[in-house]
Structure formats: structure tokens, C-alpha cells
Amino acid sequence: MAINTLVLDLETGDRLSKLQIAAESIKKGGIVVFPTETVYGLGANALDGDAVGKIFTAKGRPADNPLIAHFSSFEAARPYIKNMSAGANLLAKAFMPGPLTLVVNKGEGISDNATCGLGTVGIRIPSNADARDFLALSGVPIVAPSANVSGRPSPTAPSHVINDMDGKVDVILLGGACEFGVESTVVDCSKEPFELLRPGAVSLSDLRRFAYVEHHDAGEGQKPKSPGMKYQHYKPSASVIALDCPHEAAVGIINSGCAGTTGTAALVFEEFLDSAKAPLVLSLGSAKDPSQAAKKLFALLRECDLAGMGRIYAMCPSDEGIGLAYRNRLFKAADNIIS
């Protein structure tokens, strides 16, 4: 049954009163969409198992895919953490608030529904001011996956959450476009050596300035400790072909594959806009700045769906910095990877 969703724009009118309305909804067991610096989140009281269950229903999310707990400050998170290591504390001090999630041993209070029965929990302190104020007003930890239908491209703009979540949630807070456009970096600090579970805006090289962090793909049958590890994610309706090859070669593949077609799009770096001959060509920004591609990726995949495209070719940056996060998201969305 559809919910009468209250949509509140934080960029107009009395921002604080709108945040308070959303916070009261959380306290009453509601679910709320809110902006962060990474993507829009779909939040519920992490201490209320019934409220957490509403997230899985709204998204159509698999029941063994754990959720990340969000806090307004690290001090607010401490009561829900058990035996956090010195190395994890160093990472927290260096990158929180910000686009980093640390998987740590879970203390008392967080619902088992949120962690899928694991003894660990992902903790995150967003740097987005709207998110932090909302969390502080709510007064409870809030678990929040991305506010999209499970498996689809994550929402990075107000129109995305309206399309996906209107009628499924109690409140939607609109706060403009997200700064980074990809979900947080996730590091498992519950064991040593630490392990990068999901790349994001905090890069592997950034992390290694403060602690040694390994990077492996999740093994078959491994129970995921973080979102984004196990299932196909971020996928538009169109078939996606990732071009993990030199950009000049990628242009040749695009032009050959698009010859005589009408429903094919190409996501290319701006240096190749004039060379690509697809029916719809969209810019990923400069190849010299992969942060632009990371910020645009989900929005461009959604744009291709709205345009009725049946196939999408997408160029790749190198795996340095946030380029690793872009590649991770694109490869999980892809039906085929050409290298």
C-alpha cells in the first residue's frame, strides 16, 4: 500500500523545522530519505528492528545485506562500538566526518535486523551538514542504505529519490546534488590486517597513510560485512558494456557497436566527445579528473534509462584514487566488460 510521502526541500524556507519534522518521524518508527555527501540515504532508527525492516521492504533489499549506522559525531557512535583498535581510531580521526565507513565490533543496542545477525557494524559520520543536523535532532543512530530500489543506480539528485521512493517512505528531505556521487569507502577494522570492502572517495592510498589496508574481492559464499559486496548493484534497465581499455580503442568499439543503431548511448570523457558516434553521447567530464566521472556515473545511467536506451557503452578511468570506486560501481552494473 502506498504511503503519503511528505517531501521537504531543505534549500528553501525554514530548514531547521523541516529537519525536526523528519527527526520526529524517525523517533516514531518512520523511514526518511536524507541527503549526504556521497548519495541520498534511506534511514531508520537503528535501535528499532521493526523500523529497520521497513527499509528492506521499501528497497526490495536482500535480507542478508547489512546496513551502515550513521551518527552525528564519533562521540555519539562510541556507545555502540566494542573494542575498537588503535588503527581504526587513527582512520576515524583522519577521515571522519567524511565519506568513510569503518566496520567494527558491535556493542549493545544496534538491531540485529540492521547487521543481519553479524557481530560487526559499519559506522559512518557524514560530513554533509543537513545529514549531521538531522542525525543530531533524531538522537538515535540511523541505519541508511542508498535510497533507491535495490540493484538500481544509486540516487545522487532530488529527482532520483522522488522517482524511486515517493509513496514508499514517510519523509523525503531534498538537499541538492551530492558532492561525491558514489557511496562511502568501507574498511573492515574488525580484524587485522584491515580490508577494503568497498572503494569510495577516501582512496586506498589515503587509507594507507594511516593504517595498512588490504584489498580483496569478496569470496563466493562469503557473508557480506558491507553493502555492495555480494549482489549486482547500480544497474539501469539498459545493458551496460564497460570499456576497460585505452580510450582511443574504446572509441573504436563504440563506433563499431553503434553503427546503424538508435537505442545506444556512450558515456565518454570530454576529450572524446567529438570522436564517439553513438546516437546519444554523454560526458563523464575530463579524463584527467576521475572525480567528475564518479560524481556523474549514476546520474548518467539514469539519464540513459529515461531516454529509452537499450545499451550503454561506458569508458573507464585508471584505478587510481576515486577511479577505483568508479570502476567498482560500473563493473557491478555491467553485463559485459571489454578489456
Side-chain angles (χ1 to χ4, degrees):
M1 186 171 71
I3 297 172
N4 185 20
T5 301
L6 179 62
V7 180
L8 302 173
D9 187 348
L10 297 175
E11 298 190 319
T12 62
D14 187 345
R15 169 182 170 275
L16 190 59
S17 68
K18 293 173 182 178
L19 290 171
Q20 187 66 61
I21 289 169
E24 289 301 319
S25 181
I26 288 290
K27 293 174 185 178
K28 294 175 182 177
I31 52 176
V32 174
V33 172
F34 63 101
T36 80
E37 73 277 20
T38 56
V39 300
Y40 274 80
L42 172 57
N45 181 353
L47 311 181
D48 182 343
D50 290 337
V52 172
K54 295 177 183 178
I55 288 178
F56 288 88
T57 300
K59 282 180 62 75
R61 184 182 178 91
D64 66 342
N65 204 6
L67 304 174
I68 291 167
H70 295 64
F71 300 86
S72 59
S73 67
F74 193 71
E75 290 68 32
R78 282 193 183 279
Y80 303 98
I81 300 169
K82 183 170 65 176
N83 301 327
M84 189 162 165
S85 68
N89 275 290
L90 281 175
L91 291 177
K93 185 175 180 180
F95 300 109
M96 290 181 169
L100 175 67
T101 294
L102 299 179
V103 175
V104 296
N105 293 315
K106 183 176 72 168
E108 298 297 321
I110 302 291
S111 167
D112 284 343
N113 284 2
T115 59
C116 301
L118 294 171
T120 56
V121 61
I123 61 166
R124 177 160 126 71
I125 296 94
S127 59
N128 178 280
D130 291 331
R132 292 182 72 192
D133 288 347
F134 166 57
L135 289 160
L137 288 167
S138 299
V140 293
I142 292 180
V143 285
S146 55
N148 56 294
V149 174
S150 190
R152 309 300 283 176
S154 297
T156 60
S159 62
H160 302 166
V161 290
I162 295 294
N163 288 341
D164 281 18
M165 289 293 141
D166 191 16
K168 298 179 180 179
V169 302
D170 297 288
V171 180
I172 293 176
L173 295 173
L174 302 179
C178 298
E179 178 183 356
F180 294 109
V182 290
E183 299 84 353
S184 62
T185 302
V186 180
V187 179
D188 184 2
C189 298
S190 67
K191 62 176 187 178
E192 292 192 1
F194 297 165
E195 183 177 356
L196 179 67
L197 302 183
R198 182 178 71 187
V202 179
S203 71
L204 189 58
S205 60
D206 292 334
L207 295 166
R208 285 177 173 171
R209 287 166 41 218
F210 298 91
Y212 180 66
V213 180
E214 292 186 337
H215 180 210
H216 307 290
D217 290 329
E220 283 296 319
Q222 178 180 336
K223 190 168 185 179
K225 287 187 175 182
S226 159
M229 288 181 65
K230 183 174 180 182
Y231 298 96
Q232 186 173 46
H233 282 37
Y234 322 118
K235 184 160 174 43
S237 297
S239 173
V240 176
I241 302 167
L243 301 175
D244 185 22
C245 55
H247 298 149
E248 291 78 6
V251 169
I253 293 168
I254 291 167
N255 292 346
S256 174
C258 292
T261 65
T262 57
T264 303
L267 311 185
V268 304
F269 293 107
E270 64 184 24
E271 292 88 344
F272 301 93
L273 284 174
D274 294 335
S275 305
K277 304 304 180 185
L280 177 64
V281 180
L282 299 173
S283 174
L284 289 165
S286 174
K288 299 175 183 177
D289 183 8
S291 68
Q292 295 180 35
K295 185 173 183 176
K296 288 184 168 192
L297 177 62
F298 292 143
L300 293 180
L301 294 178
R302 285 175 175 263
E303 185 175 340
C304 290
D305 270 355
L306 288 173
M309 298 292 106
R311 182 169 52 180
I312 304 168
Y313 290 95
M315 285 183 171
C316 292
S318 76
D319 61 3
E320 307 234 335
I322 201 170
L324 182 63
Y326 171 98
R327 292 163 64 89
N328 169 270
R329 305 314 192 271
L330 179 62
F331 292 174
K332 284 187 176 291
D335 299 277
N336 190 18
I337 301 171
I338 298 177
S339 57

